[in-house]
Amino acid sequence: PSIIKDNDGTYYVFGSHITTAKSTDMINWDYTARGYKREGNVHFGNLSENLKGSFKWAGEDDGDCKGGFAVWAPDVYYNPRYLWKDGSRGAYMMYYSASSTYKRSCIGLAVSKEINGVYEYVDTVIYSGFTKIYAKDENSDHSKQYTKTNIYNLIQKGRVCSYKDDWGVDDYNSVKYPNAIDPCIYEDEKGRLYLTYGSWSGGIFTLPINPLTGIPVYPGFDSVTEDGRMVDRYFGTHIAGGKGWSGEGPFIYYDKRTGYYYLQTSYEWLGTDGGYHIRMFRSESPTGPFTDMLGNSAVYGEDHAAHGVKMFSNHYFTGLNAPYTSGGHCSTLTEGDETFIFFHTRFKGVEHFKLKVHQMFANEDGWMVVAPFGYKGSKISPQGYSDAEIIGMYEFIDHGSRIGEGTKVATPKTVMLLNNGKIKGAVSGRWTVNGKYVTFYINDDVYKGVFFKQLNEKGEEVMTFSLVGGKNSAIWGIKANSGDYTAKTPAIEISFEDGLSQMETVKRNKGQNPYAEKVDVTYEDGYKGKAIKMDGSFGLKSENIPLSTDMTISFMMKPYKLPTYSPIAAITEDFIGNGKDKWFSLTTFTNGKDAVLWSRNAEKEQWLEGKSAVPFKIGQWQHVLLVFDPEYYDGDENCISCRLYLDGLCIAAGSVTKAAFTDKSKLFFGINP
C-alpha cells in the first residue's frame, strides 16, 4: 500500500490489483476502487485501452496473467512542477508495474489532475526481461527482443550508448539486473526527484527523475559508485539486493529530523507461509550506500539474512485479535513530529491481506522502531513516562534476524523490568531510561528504542516498548495489565465448606501411581470461607470435572513453604509412564519460589516451559489464575498457550502440550502424579 495525503486532508492508499482506499483519520478506511474493472475503471477509465502502451510488453492476458491482468504496486506522488501540454502545472503522477513473468515486466507512468483520476498514460519508462535476439515466453505471443522496448529508441537518440550483451542475448540476466516492478518516487533534501524500483533478481535500483516530465534520466554509460556499486547505463544505480535473493517493494524517504534517507524493503514471499517481513537500511545520500546497524551493505551477496534491520516478524501476543503473518511491502508518511508505516499483513491460514498502519519513532541513534499495536490515535509522551507506568511484567518478543520462518509465529516470553534497573525473566540484563527513550543491555547486545503507551486492538491502554539493536533485530514488550477481575459464574466450583466437593484425596507415594486413600484433612479459615491445609503428604484429584483447552482455573493459595518442584497444580492422566508422559504442571524452579509453567510430551521429545521472574508470596494469600487458550499460536499445532496471573499481574506465559488434555485427564492440586 502506497500512502499519499491529498490537499483536503484525506489519506489515500494505492495497492496492487487497482485497489484503493481512503480515510480521514488513518483508522477507518473506505474502498474507492477495487479490482480490474476493464471499462469504467475508477483510475484508468478503459483499462485495456488506456494502458495498452505497457500491455504491449506485459500485464494483460499474457504469460502468467493469461486470461487476466497483472498491474502491481502503484506509487502516487503529487508533483507541482509537472508540465502539461497546455502549459499548466501540477499532476498526480502514478508509477505502476505490469508483469507477465518474474522477468518480463515494465513500469509505466500515468498522470491526473485529480487524485482519483482518470489517470492518462504518459509512457512506459523501465523494461525488464528483454533479449538481444528474437524470443518468446511460454503462453505468450509477445516478442521479448529489446527493439520492442524504449531501450531501442534511447539508443537511437543517443541517451543510452548501446545495447549491453550482459543484459542477455537469448535470455535475460535476472541474477544481475532487476525485475521492473514495485516503483517508488522519493525526494532528496533539496527537492530533487528519484525513482527506485526492483525486486528479487538483480536487486533494487534508482534513477533521477525529470520533474517537468516524470521521465527518468538514464545514465547513458556504465560506471561504478565510489563504494564500488554498479551504475548501469539504463537501469541506474544499484542500491540494494541482488543475485536472486529476496528483497522487493522498496520505499525510500528522507527524515529531516535525523538527516538520514531510510530504505525499507521486504524479504521473502508474501503468502501466509512465506515469512514476509520488512528490513531497514539508511544512508546520508539519496542514492546510497545504504547500510544497516552493523554496517552491512544493502547490496548483499550470499547471506542476505545478515543484512538489514528486521523491523518485525510473524508474531502474536495478548491484545491482538489474531496472529500477524507476512507483514510487508510498506510505505511511510511523516506528518510534523509523527511518522507512520503502512503495510499489508495476513493472518494464520487466511491469504486475504489487510491494511495495517503503525506509528514509528526514531531512537536515540536515529534508527526507526515500529509500535507493536496499530494506530488508534495514541500520542507518545515527549517527556517520557513515570517509573510506576514502566516497571512491571511484560510479554516479550525478540523478532530476531532469521530468514525462512514460513508459518512460524513469534510468541511472547515473560520479562520483568525491575525498579533497580534490572531485567529478569526470559532474558536478563539491565535497562536505562532517558525521557521517552530506553536502552536495554542484554548479554553483550545493546538495544535502543522508546516506551509508548498506546491502545491495543481491544481498545485497552497498555504500556509498550519497541527497540532495535543486537544482531539487526527488533524487540517488543507489552506490559501485562493488573487490576480487579469480575468473575463470571464458574462452571465448576470447588468448595471446602462441607468437606471435599468435586475432589478426592490422593496419597503421595513416590514412584508409583498416587492412589485414593482416606486422609485426615485439616480445614482452616481461608481467604473467604474455609481452606484446606496440605502438608505435602497428599494432594487432591478431580472427580468428573471436564477439562478443556479453552478454560481458566482460579484459586486462592497461602503457601507455608515451596521447595523446588513444588506440585501446585497439574493436568494429566493418573499415570502414563512408559515414555508416553503428557502433562502440564504449575510448579517452582530453582529457589522454590519463582513460578514456572512446565509441560511435557514424551512422544514428541518435547519439554516446554514459561518461567516467571516473580516469586509466589510465602505466608500470604494470593490469587492464582491459569488461562488456557487454544487460539494462541506458536507455530506448533500440537500446542496451546497458558498464561499465569498472580494477584492480577501476568507473571508468566508459555506453550503447553495439547496432549495433556484428554478425556481421561484429571486436575490435581498439591501433588504431581
Side-chain angles (χ1 to χ4, degrees):
S2 164
I3 179 65
I4 179 173
K5 186 179 182 181
D6 201 8
N7 293 330
D8 66 358
T10 304
Y11 303 92
Y12 289 82
V13 285
F14 288 80
S16 289
H17 314 301
I18 313 181
T19 301
T20 311
K22 68 178 182 178
S23 173
T24 57
D25 57 10
M26 290 188 288
I27 300 172
N28 302 291
W29 295 87
D30 296 311
Y31 285 108
T32 56
R34 198 172 186 182
Y36 293 118
K37 189 175 181 180
R38 192 179 293 267
E39 294 186 9
N41 190 287
V42 171
H43 298 314
F44 296 109
N46 186 314
L47 177 62
S48 297
E49 183 64 26
N50 194 4
L51 300 189
K52 66 181 180 181
S54 296
F55 291 153
K56 287 178 181 178
W57 181 252
E60 181 184 17
D61 191 24
D62 174 64
D64 295 339
C65 64
K66 197 74 175 177
F69 293 89
V71 179
W72 300 100
D75 192 37
V76 175
Y77 170 85
Y78 183 74
N79 176 13
R81 292 173 286 177
Y82 184 85
L83 181 62
W84 293 83
K85 292 179 181 179
D86 62 6
S88 60
R89 289 185 180 269
Y92 294 92
M93 302 192 306
M94 178 190 288
Y95 293 87
Y96 60 88
S97 48
S99 295
S100 288
T101 73
Y102 74 97
K103 297 181 181 181
R104 182 161 53 90
S105 305
C106 59
I107 294 173
L109 168 63
V111 295
S112 172
K113 292 187 177 182
E114 303 292 334
I115 193 166
N116 270 326
V118 171
Y119 284 83
E120 300 176 13
Y121 174 79
V122 175
D123 200 359
T124 303
V125 297
I126 301 289
Y127 291 79
S128 66
F130 46 79
T131 55
K132 186 175 184 179
I133 63 175
Y134 177 81
K136 287 183 178 180
D137 285 322
E138 187 177 355
N139 294 324
S140 177
D141 294 325
H142 291 224
S143 168
K144 296 196 297 183
Q145 196 167 15
Y146 81 97
T147 55
K148 302 297 183 180
T149 74
N150 66 346
I151 297 175
Y152 181 80
N153 291 330
L154 292 171
I155 294 172
Q156 296 299 310
K157 294 176 181 179
R159 296 178 183 172
V160 170
C161 60
S162 63
Y163 187 87
K164 183 165 59 173
D165 285 353
D166 194 42
W167 288 333
V169 176
D170 59 353
D171 191 19
Y172 181 69
N173 185 355
S174 62
V175 174
K176 190 172 182 180
Y177 299 102
N179 187 15
I181 63 170
D182 295 354
C184 164
I185 190 167
Y186 64 101
E187 291 184 31
D188 69 8
E189 58 183 316
K190 296 181 179 178
R192 292 173 295 201
L193 298 183
Y194 294 83
L195 179 70
T196 184
Y197 65 96
S199 177
W200 300 41
S201 304
I204 292 165
F205 289 70
T206 188
L207 286 163
I209 294 293
N210 183 331
L212 300 181
T213 64
I215 304 298
V217 179
Y218 306 94
F221 295 89
D222 295 336
S223 62
V224 295
T225 63
E226 290 184 4
D227 59 300
R229 290 173 293 121
M230 168 176 49
V231 180
D232 181 77
R233 65 187 71 175
Y234 175 65
F235 292 115
T237 303
H238 188 195
I239 61 171
K243 297 189 177 181
W245 292 105
S246 67
E248 64 184 20
F251 190 88
I252 296 175
Y253 67 98
Y254 177 71
D255 192 319
K256 64 182 179 182
R257 298 166 298 182
T258 65
Y260 288 106
Y261 296 88
Y262 295 90
L263 166 64
Q264 297 161 333
T265 182
S266 297
Y267 282 25
E268 303 194 81
W269 159 245
L270 58 77
T272 55
D273 61 349
Y276 211 42
H277 65 273
I278 302 166
R279 300 269 175 147
M280 167 179 54
F281 304 85
R282 73 182 186 190
S283 174
E284 294 179 345
S285 163
T287 58
F290 288 89
T291 56
D292 62 26
M293 296 181 69
L294 302 179
N296 299 318
S297 173
V299 177
Y300 37 71
E302 302 305 320
D303 182 18
H304 71 315
H307 295 245
V309 181
K310 189 174 185 179
M311 303 190 78
F312 56 86
S313 62
N314 296 347
H315 62 274
Y316 180 74
F317 44 75
T318 302
L320 291 181
N321 294 323
Y324 279 35
T325 61
S326 296
H329 207 146
C330 65
S331 60
T332 295
L333 175 71
T334 298
E335 287 196 300
D337 292 331
E338 293 189 290
T339 303
F340 303 87
I341 185 170
F342 297 72
F343 59 94
H344 60 68
T345 192
R346 286 163 167 77
F347 302 99
K348 177 189 171 185
V350 181
E351 286 296 347
H352 183 71
F353 71 86
K354 186 173 182 179
L355 169 69
K356 300 301 297 184
V357 184
H358 286 233
Q359 287 150 287
M360 287 200 304
F361 309 98
N363 69 12
E364 284 185 296
D365 294 339
W367 288 100
M368 305 304 290
V369 298
V370 179
F373 292 108
Y375 177 64
K376 285 184 175 291
S378 301
K379 306 284 186 182
I380 195 168
S381 172
Q383 70 272 12
Y385 301 92
S386 68
D387 285 353
E389 292 174 291
I390 293 171
I391 293 166
M393 182 62 61
Y394 287 78
E395 293 187 24
F396 174 83
I397 287 181
D398 183 350
H399 291 284
S401 56
R402 300 171 296 274
I403 290 287
E405 292 186 292
T407 59
K408 182 178 180 181
V409 174
T411 53
K413 299 179 180 179
T414 308
V415 300
M416 186 81 174
L417 302 188
L418 302 176
N419 58 3
N420 60 4
K422 290 185 178 180
I423 304 170
K424 290 184 67 179
V427 297
S428 297
R430 57 190 177 91
W431 63 280
T432 61
V433 66
N434 178 21
K436 68 182 177 183
Y437 299 115
V438 60
T439 302
F440 281 12
Y441 302 90
I442 300 173
N443 298 325
D444 296 326
D445 293 325
V446 180
Y447 298 83
K448 294 186 177 183
V450 298
F451 284 111
F452 178 36
K453 185 178 283 188
Q454 63 174 146
L455 296 176
N456 63 20
E457 291 186 353
K458 303 180 188 304
E460 303 161 335
E461 187 174 58
V462 293
M463 179 62 73
T464 70
F465 61 71
S466 179
L467 303 88
V468 292
K471 307 298 188 294
N472 278 328
S473 62
I475 56 175
W476 286 356
I478 315 298
K479 190 176 182 183
N481 278 334
S482 59
D484 294 331
Y485 286 86
T486 301
K488 296 181 180 179
T489 301
I492 300 291
E493 187 167 6
I494 300 169
S495 169
F496 305 115
E497 292 302 301
D498 300 309
L500 287 175
S501 169
Q502 306 284 353
M503 305 290 286
E504 64 178 7
T505 57
V506 282
K507 187 83 171 174
R508 183 180 183 191
N509 190 353
K510 198 169 185 180
Q512 298 181 32
N513 182 16
Y515 54 90
E517 182 177 299
K518 183 167 179 60
V519 175
D520 291 332
V521 176
T522 301
Y523 298 98
E524 294 185 350
D525 290 336
Y527 179 81
K528 197 181 232 184
K530 290 182 180 178
I532 188 168
K533 184 176 180 181
M534 303 157 103
D535 61 7
S537 67
F538 73 97
L540 299 178
K541 181 176 74 171
S542 63
E543 283 187 329
N544 302 318
I545 295 179
L547 302 179
S548 167
T549 57
D550 184 9
M551 67 176 178
T552 64
I553 299 173
S554 171
F555 58 95
M556 302 298 298
M557 177 180 76
K558 183 171 78 169
Y560 290 87
K561 62 179 181 178
L562 288 171
T564 302
Y565 302 116
S566 288
I568 297 169
I571 294 174
T572 182
E573 297 180 15
D574 282 354
F575 184 74
I576 300 174
N578 301 320
K580 297 181 179 180
D581 302 53
K582 300 169 186 176
W583 47 259
F584 161 78
S585 177
L586 170 61
T587 183
T588 56
F589 270 4
T590 314
N591 60 8
K593 294 181 181 179
D594 292 352
V596 66
L597 305 169
W598 204 17
S599 185
R600 169 71 164 152
N601 187 338
E603 288 184 344
K604 294 187 175 295
E605 291 298 322
Q606 193 174 50
W607 291 93
L608 303 165
E609 63 183 47
K611 291 183 179 179
S612 167
V614 175
F616 290 113
K617 303 166 188 174
I618 303 300
Q620 298 180 43
W621 283 107
Q622 54 222 274
H623 176 233
V624 182
L625 179 69
L626 292 167
V627 180
F628 299 94
D629 185 354
E631 294 302 319
Y632 189 96
Y633 183 67
D634 67 352
D636 188 341
E637 63 183 7
N638 298 302
C639 293
I640 63 170
S641 81
C642 180
R643 297 192 301 280
L644 171 63
Y645 293 80
L646 190 66
D647 290 334
L649 177 69
C650 181
I651 66 167
S655 296
V656 172
T657 179
K658 195 184 296 183
F661 299 81
T662 73
D663 57 2
K664 296 179 181 179
S665 294
K666 302 288 194 300
L667 170 64
F668 295 85
F669 287 110
I671 198 164
N672 185 346

